[in-house]
Amino acid sequence: KQAAVDYLTWTFFYRRLTQNPNYYGLEELGQQQLSDHLSNLVETTLTELEESKCVAIDDDADEVTPLNLGMIAAHYYVRDATIELFSLSVKATSRLHALLQIVAEAAEFDELPVRRGDERDMRALAAHSPLKLDAAAARYHDPHTKANLLLQAHCSRRGLLGDLARDQDRVLADAPRLVQALVDVISSAGHLAPALAAMELAQLLTQAMWADDSPLVQLPHVTRELAAQLTASGVDGVLDLLDLDDDDRRRRLAALSDRQYADVAVACNRYPSVDVAAQVADADAVAAGELCTVHVQIARDDDDDDDADGADDNAAAAAAADPGPVIAPFFSDCARRVVGGCWSATRAARCSTRSSVWRSCAASAWHCSLWRPPPAGTS
């Protein structure tokens, strides 16, 4: 605790405290008063963190130890109140609807402005939202209800104007890290289905789509109507579009201009086709119920021409190692650079709880260790 107090004396907050003590609730500007104020601030903050299960405090040894929730909050720069909310709200039965509501209740949205006339707009958005709010309990003047409806409007690609568009950008700026923190919290609790649903929510928010939309709407300039036409003609996904010859592909995308067609080509060429390989270390020596290690390798499957020269091979290898930000044209300008990544989730066979979840921001290989032994009689 003393180290925390000493750290504060080297911050800009300490300089402001001495220059404007009344603003920070400091009645007298003496060395003892400063010391007491900082000590009380550290004590109050640590108590709140302890109640949020973010740290453990050993008063006898005067030591503060970060807990798992605290490390997640620090990693994603999320408020401790939000992490506590995630931990207490997620259940083994939570699905997409509930997870979106949990994200919208985050403390980061407490100060989302609710203006005069917003309640009318929120009711209009709610009437066209796929995930319906409880009509009896809905609070259209609440910032968290507004965050929920703005996220749904984003996934529905509903155009917003003026202040609502700016508010939506603000919500989208925080949403990715909140969802990633939610995945980590759920994984720590050992829930498999909610973790997979949260991973899906991250993808849906990035691409502004719903789970029942065609995968083709991930491509720039491809509307739901154009995707439906492509699906009716036998093109169900991006890989099907890539398998077409050039003339046939251009004919099916005749509604797009040459520049739009070029954007689609870039997105298709960067669309991840991933190879996953998993192997149990010393599989012959592992018995049911024992802790084991699984080696997981994830790599992008990039098709290179056999006659490509060395420079092309090097360029392809560089593109595979760093594919760049995700193409997400419907994401807000303030959060448009979304780094691609993947999750690896493992579980014991015939078991509804996950054993481990790892996230990588690049196509690479890594090892993960199952911390929970598989139940006896399973593989």
Side-chain angles (χ1 to χ4, degrees):
K1 295 180 181 180
Q2 184 58 44
V5 174
D6 294 340
Y7 173 81
L8 288 177
T9 62
W10 291 92
T11 64
F12 183 69
F13 163 71
Y14 182 77
R15 306 304 171 196
R16 292 297 308 150
L17 185 62
T18 59
Q19 296 297 318
N20 193 4
N22 290 334
Y23 179 82
Y24 296 99
L26 188 60
E27 297 180 357
E28 297 183 33
L29 192 58
Q31 190 60 41
Q32 185 61 43
Q33 287 74 18
L34 277 173
S35 179
D36 292 342
H37 182 82
L38 293 178
S39 297
N40 292 335
L41 178 62
V42 169
E43 190 71 33
T44 301
T45 302
L46 289 178
T47 300
E48 293 177 356
L49 292 175
E50 186 178 33
E51 292 174 351
S52 301
K53 303 296 189 295
C54 289
V55 300
I57 301 177
D58 186 346
D59 291 322
D60 295 334
D62 194 25
E63 292 182 350
V64 179
T65 304
L67 300 179
N68 184 60
L69 293 181
M71 289 186 284
I72 294 174
H75 181 75
Y76 293 107
Y77 203 66
V78 174
R79 297 182 185 181
D80 63 290
T82 297
I83 288 296
E84 183 182 22
L85 170 71
F86 288 175
S87 178
L88 296 176
S89 301
V90 172
K91 310 298 180 185
T93 57
S94 298
R95 294 299 181 266
L96 184 66
H97 190 169
L99 296 179
L100 181 62
Q101 179 60 41
I102 291 172
V103 171
E105 292 292 334
E108 279 70 10
F109 301 135
D110 285 349
E111 299 179 1
L112 185 67
V114 179
R115 306 174 184 86
R116 178 179 299 180
D118 277 0
E119 183 172 346
R120 180 185 66 254
D121 295 332
M122 293 303 103
R123 289 182 182 275
L125 287 178
H128 298 89
S129 296
L131 305 180
K132 299 301 181 183
L133 303 178
D134 185 349
R139 298 167 297 169
Y140 295 104
H141 59 280
D142 184 85
H144 302 285
T145 300
K146 183 176 182 178
N148 184 323
L149 294 173
L150 291 178
L151 289 174
Q152 292 199 56
H154 168 70
C155 291
S156 299
R157 301 188 176 184
R158 188 174 303 279
L160 301 177
L161 300 175
D163 290 334
L164 282 183
R166 286 186 286 273
D167 292 341
Q168 187 181 60
D169 288 347
R170 177 175 174 177
V171 171
L172 290 176
D174 290 329
R177 59 189 175 89
L178 290 175
V179 176
Q180 290 176 12
L182 179 62
V183 171
D184 285 5
V185 171
I186 297 174
S187 302
S188 300
H191 302 315
L192 178 62
L196 297 178
M199 296 174 194
E200 182 181 44
L201 177 60
Q203 296 173 307
L204 298 180
L205 291 176
T206 300
Q207 295 298 340
M209 59 185 293
W210 292 107
D212 56 356
D213 283 331
S214 167
L216 293 167
V217 300
Q218 299 176 79
L219 300 175
H221 315 298
V222 175
T223 62
R224 288 183 169 91
E225 293 74 20
L226 179 55
Q229 296 175 12
L230 292 171
T231 300
S233 66
V235 180
D236 296 323
V238 177
L239 298 182
D240 293 334
L241 192 64
L242 286 171
D243 289 339
L244 300 176
D245 59 55
D246 293 341
D247 293 337
D248 190 16
R249 186 186 306 112
R250 189 66 183 97
R251 178 180 59 81
R252 295 177 190 241
L253 297 175
L256 303 182
S257 66
D258 290 342
R259 182 173 182 178
Q260 291 174 332
Y261 182 76
D263 292 339
V264 171
V266 171
C268 286
N269 290 330
R270 289 177 52 188
Y271 191 78
S273 177
V274 178
D275 288 332
V276 181
Q279 183 179 9
V280 178
D282 299 326
D284 295 337
V286 176
E290 290 184 348
L291 186 69
C292 60
T293 300
V294 178
H295 301 297
V296 180
Q297 181 176 358
I298 298 179
R300 296 173 68 95
D301 182 15
D302 295 295
D303 296 329
D304 299 326
D305 296 334
D306 294 335
D307 56 351
D309 57 26
D312 291 338
D313 287 340
N314 293 336
D322 183 14
V326 174
I327 296 178
F330 283 87
F331 224 67
S332 62
D333 291 334
C334 59
R336 179 160 291 172
R337 184 175 176 83
V338 181
V339 179
C342 57
W343 278 284
S344 171
T346 59
R347 69 175 178 90
R350 298 187 297 276
C351 182
S352 61
T353 58
R354 59 93 232 168
S355 295
S356 64
V357 172
W358 291 80
R359 184 176 186 273
S360 174
C361 291
S364 58
W366 70 87
H367 297 160
C368 59
S369 177
L370 304 185
W371 61 270
R372 177 177 296 179
T378 65
S379 58

